Amino acid sequence: MRLQSYLLPSLLLTVLPAAAQQPVPRLQIDTATIVRPASPGLYGLMTEEINHSYEGGLYAQLISNNTFRGNWMSVEEWGLAIKGDAQATSQVDPKDGPSAALPESLELKVASASPSSPAGVSNPGYWGIAVRPHTTYTGSFYAEAAPEIGPVTVSLIANQSGAVLASALVALAGSGWRNYAFQLHTGQTESSSQNHFELTVAHPGTLHLQLVTLFPPTFNDQPNGDRPDLMEKLAAMHPTFLRLPGGNYLEGNSIKERFDWEKTIGPLVDRPGHQGPWGYWSTDQFGLLEFLDWTEDLHVEPVLAVYAGYSLKGEHVNPGKDLEPYVQSALDEVEYVTGDAHTRWGAERARDGHPAPFPLHYIEIGNEDWFDRSGTYPARFAQFAEALRKQYPQYKLIATGPVQEKPGDQPDVVDDHYYKSPEQMFALVHHYDAAPRTGPKVFVGEWATVSATPTPDFGDALGDAAWMTGMERNSDLIQIASYAPLFVNVHDDAWTTNLIGYDANSSYGSPSYYAQCLFAAHMGDAIPQSSLTGVSPSARFFYSVTESRQKRVLHLKLVNATTLAQPLELALENAGAGEHVATVYSLHGATFAATNTLQSPTAIHPVQSSQHFNGTDLKLTVPALTIEVIDLPLK
Ligand code: AHR
């Protein structure tokens, strides 16, 4: 996150017009009277394979359709690369592949080729391949080739000029399927995504190909790893958890298309992939262990959602005997995540390269099971809960729909979802204020102010910030919360409003992204007594206040979602005498429609300033269309 300082903060505050209201509204806070605990781990992340979040997004692998899915016309994404008078054809061979999981391959039949007229195939990447200067790309492919075909040339080529930006020769050895690795080194070149990948040969013959991969440098240099720019943006959100693997992506359109975790682990060549619910195929090369590595890289915990026997188009598994294999699969999955290397699935995880267990506190049973019209969720939940609680009593269970009221079947937490317009979000800010505190805790597992596409504009950010003040005020009840969806490749905005946008080359955080970075970075563990007077309850002015008791800091969030500046007197009790210096982080949009884009990635971003106050009162003016986070040190 980039922070800048106000050059002339006091001038800026005085030139803005103030609302013609008398008397000046007053926010009174007694820092010594704690009314509720707050959840310091409130803010987390939720993602799934939607909008090319992983393949074509976070997952750094650059070749699209790298397992050669074909339709009756062609091999999707791949084209022929024919130079000079070379001649070749390509098609999917359904009967020849390197593994049981990938039983098919691309068959390239080269009738004529020479070193000056090579023939092969080309791949455009995910709407381009980002190539950067002086960079090493690592790749691999499986091939089965006739000996006469000679070595394979792999290259990165500029689309417009045809210039070869990096190239390597890979010798093929013997017959049968083998895996080949290569590296491509770029020299001095422009950073651009207007490039493609080619794999060619210089002699006639037949070549079968499967599982072609190409990686730029990844975050923390993790093999099979993630895009650094996106990981850095996530780290700046100060998340405490990652809800995985979905969302609808957990459920699939049908039972067959669910996230079947066992098929997403182990060597990539043993992962068959599956049809995702958001319109495209998932290779599962970004599978369960890659999700978990991702949590580790971000120093967060997984919130593990297990498939619970309901899929999006209405298929369900009956509770009882039919459900037993799914319950067992969930138990095994929890063991894969948390078991030590002596357990069956812990040992499997160790073989997959991660001997240490991952931390876990929450298990979510299904996703949005309130949509299940079969009425089986209460019994399905109860069956999962009984088995999970028997083996893993230490974990908190999250329900995703109404469940039975019988004692013992109660979830520890319920997952509530909100996708609302800015107006609806403003109206919902006090939704949880009077909610009972005697039942399960709340996980707001998906929430977003939804109007602009592909990412939120400043009006949406105001809705989000207002909503976050409500979640913070109720964070004794709302333990954890995650915005959704997190990612969008701007070439595939299947979902309207998404937090972080990108293409092959670069990424940007929306105004809502910056609002969340600020709110999460300045979150306390207690809620002091406070009251606001002089502001109409219908005014679009919102606040929350939490306190970090150990650090002795008050975190005040103020949201002015109107076009008039809002004067405010802050009356502090028990903050300590003498001069204090408050740090003010301000996020401002010129209009509701103002936003960030790939071309203007930080048009709206937080600016930092400081303000002196005497420990008891502070006069503020929150500018129009502004979200402010103020840290007030207590003495
Ligand atoms: O976030 C997009 C989708 O919205 C999620 O997959 C689903 O849980 C919800 O309906």
Side-chain angles (χ1 to χ4, degrees):
M1 179 175 36
R2 209 176 96 201
L3 295 171
Q4 289 183 348
S5 291
Y6 276 135
L7 290 177
L8 293 168
S10 51
L11 179 64
L12 193 68
L13 293 178
T14 48
V15 291
L16 289 166
Q21 276 181 327
Q22 290 298 331
V24 171
R26 187 175 166 84
L27 177 57
Q28 173 274 333
I29 302 169
D30 180 355
T31 68
T33 306
I34 301 301
V35 291
R36 292 168 179 171
S39 173
L42 179 65
Y43 294 105
L45 306 172
M46 184 272 171
T47 68
E48 60 179 319
E49 186 55 288
I50 182 174
N51 311 314
H52 286 271
S53 286
Y54 309 141
E55 300 186 22
L58 181 78
Y59 179 46
Q61 202 286 114
L62 296 169
I63 306 296
S64 53
N65 188 22
N66 72 347
T67 53
F68 299 109
R69 308 267 315 156
N71 58 31
W72 63 273
M73 278 194 319
S74 62
V75 188
E76 289 162 28
E77 298 291 319
W78 292 85
L80 282 170
I82 304 286
K83 307 279 153 69
D85 56 7
Q87 288 179 11
T89 57
S90 73
Q91 60 177 5
V92 173
D93 181 341
K95 293 212 174 98
D96 192 4
S99 65
L102 298 176
E104 50 194 24
S105 60
L106 179 98
E107 182 184 62
L108 177 70
K109 282 192 170 159
V110 181
S112 149
S114 66
S116 59
S117 296
V121 284
S122 73
N123 184 275
Y126 294 95
W127 298 281
I129 293 183
V131 172
R132 308 198 197 288
H134 308 292
T135 303
T136 297
Y137 295 76
T138 53
S140 64
F141 57 85
Y142 282 82
E144 179 189 60
E148 66 273 12
I149 209 153
V152 159
T153 300
V154 284
S155 323
L156 284 166
I157 314 271
N159 293 347
Q160 295 271 308
S161 64
V164 177
L165 305 173
S167 184
L169 205 60
V170 186
L172 303 183
S175 57
W177 281 100
R178 287 169 187 247
N179 189 224
Y180 300 92
F182 61 87
Q183 286 197 332
L184 294 171
H185 307 280
T186 58
Q188 187 53 42
T189 183
E190 256 177 52
S191 278
S192 154
S193 61
Q194 303 302 304
N195 312 295
H196 65 273
F197 173 81
E198 285 187 6
L199 187 154
T200 57
V201 294
H203 302 281
T206 299
L207 174 69
H208 283 88
L209 284 172
Q210 187 49 285
L211 192 50
V212 183
T213 68
L214 183 66
F215 284 88
T218 59
F219 187 75
N220 283 352
D221 291 326
Q222 284 269 19
N224 206 39
D226 303 328
R227 239 173 95 159
D229 59 332
L230 294 177
M231 286 297 276
E232 281 153 18
K233 284 195 171 58
L234 297 184
M237 290 177 72
H238 301 273
T240 62
F241 68 88
L242 172 69
R243 175 180 173 220
L244 62 89
N248 291 354
Y249 186 59
L250 171 74
E251 304 165 79
N253 278 332
S254 62
I255 296 172
K256 195 169 143 254
E257 292 178 358
R258 70 191 184 280
F259 182 82
D260 195 354
W261 69 272
E262 280 181 58
K263 296 185 180 155
T264 75
I265 58 172
L268 301 190
V269 73
D270 294 330
R271 303 187 194 181
H274 75 285
Q275 180 63 38
W278 295 106
Y280 55 96
W281 183 259
S282 178
T283 65
D284 289 328
Q285 290 158 30
F286 192 87
L288 179 59
L289 188 56
E290 286 72 27
F291 275 102
L292 296 168
D293 286 339
W294 176 17
T295 64
E296 192 167 68
D297 283 350
L298 284 178
H299 310 292
V300 303
E301 278 194 15
V303 168
L304 181 69
V306 298
Y307 180 73
Y310 171 72
S311 291
L312 288 165
K313 296 226 159 130
E315 276 184 11
H316 76 275
V317 182
N318 280 321
K321 221 168 170 32
D322 291 354
L323 197 63
E324 277 171 14
Y326 298 89
V327 174
Q328 187 56 51
S329 172
L331 292 170
D332 293 345
E333 186 175 5
V334 175
E335 189 172 279
Y336 185 85
V337 176
T338 64
D340 69 36
H342 299 103
T343 60
R344 174 177 170 219
W345 286 105
E348 186 82 24
R349 187 198 59 238
R351 274 194 292 283
D352 292 341
H354 200 287
F358 291 91
L360 188 71
H361 281 92
Y362 293 99
I363 300 172
E364 177 152 28
I365 298 174
N367 177 61
E368 295 190 338
D369 280 80
W370 62 72
F371 281 121
D372 177 12
R373 300 284 166 255
S374 75
T376 57
Y377 187 63
R380 287 189 286 111
F381 178 85
Q383 197 171 333
F384 274 89
E386 191 186 348
L388 284 164
R389 283 188 171 134
K390 196 163 155 209
Q391 199 160 326
Y392 299 108
Q394 68 273 38
Y395 301 135
K396 293 196 166 66
L397 301 185
I398 305 172
T400 72
V403 294
Q404 280 155 353
E405 295 301 319
K406 267 201 320 202
D409 291 353
Q410 279 281 15
D412 302 295
V413 182
V414 293
D415 181 358
D416 289 347
H417 293 179
Y418 299 90
Y419 293 104
K420 302 287 176 190
S421 68
E423 286 303 326
Q424 289 170 324
M425 270 313 200
F426 297 140
L428 272 172
V429 164
H430 296 282
H431 181 63
Y432 286 101
D433 289 1
R437 265 44 183 184
T438 47
K441 300 284 188 191
V442 172
F443 171 28
V444 182
E446 296 178 27
W447 63 272
T449 306
V450 175
S451 77
T453 200
T455 48
D457 60 16
F458 196 72
D460 293 329
L462 288 165
D464 289 337
W467 172 249
M468 286 190 282
T469 65
M471 289 203 296
E472 291 194 358
R473 186 170 47 254
N474 290 286
S475 67
D476 60 319
L477 177 67
I478 304 173
Q479 296 288 286
I480 51 175
S482 42
Y483 182 103
L486 187 62
F487 285 140
V488 60
N489 185 314
V490 297
H491 294 285
D492 177 31
D493 53 344
W495 188 268
T496 308
T497 308
N498 313 276
L499 200 64
I500 296 172
Y502 48 83
D503 65 4
N505 204 33
S506 63
S507 56
Y508 69 98
S510 62
S512 291
Y513 164 81
Y514 286 111
Q516 278 188 61
C517 289
L518 288 177
F519 273 58
H522 304 276
M523 177 70 196
D525 56 8
I527 301 175
Q529 185 277 325
S530 70
S531 62
L532 177 65
T533 50
V535 177
S536 148
S538 62
R540 290 202 200 138
F541 182 75
F542 309 93
Y543 84 97
S544 68
V545 56
T546 62
E547 207 174 299
S548 290
R549 278 175 291 187
Q550 272 210 324
K551 288 194 209 145
R552 304 279 301 143
V553 179
L554 200 70
H555 309 288
L556 178 61
K557 278 99 184 213
L558 301 168
V559 181
N560 183 1
T562 74
T563 52
L564 291 176
Q566 176 65 62
L568 187 70
E569 270 178 25
L570 194 58
L572 290 174
E573 289 168 38
N574 299 307
E579 198 190 49
H580 297 228
V581 182
T583 308
V584 182
Y585 305 89
S586 188
L587 191 67
H588 170 72
T591 62
F592 291 99
T595 197
N596 293 340
T597 60
L598 275 178
Q599 293 70 34
S600 261
T602 52
I604 295 170
H605 64 272
V607 288
Q608 186 180 336
S609 63
S610 48
Q611 194 156 356
H612 292 249
F613 71 106
N614 65 11
T616 56
D617 55 66
L618 173 61
K619 290 191 181 14
L620 296 169
T621 298
V622 186
L625 301 182
T626 296
I627 298 161
E628 274 189 352
V629 174
I630 305 178
D631 274 357
L632 295 141
L634 304 173
K635 292 194 176 170

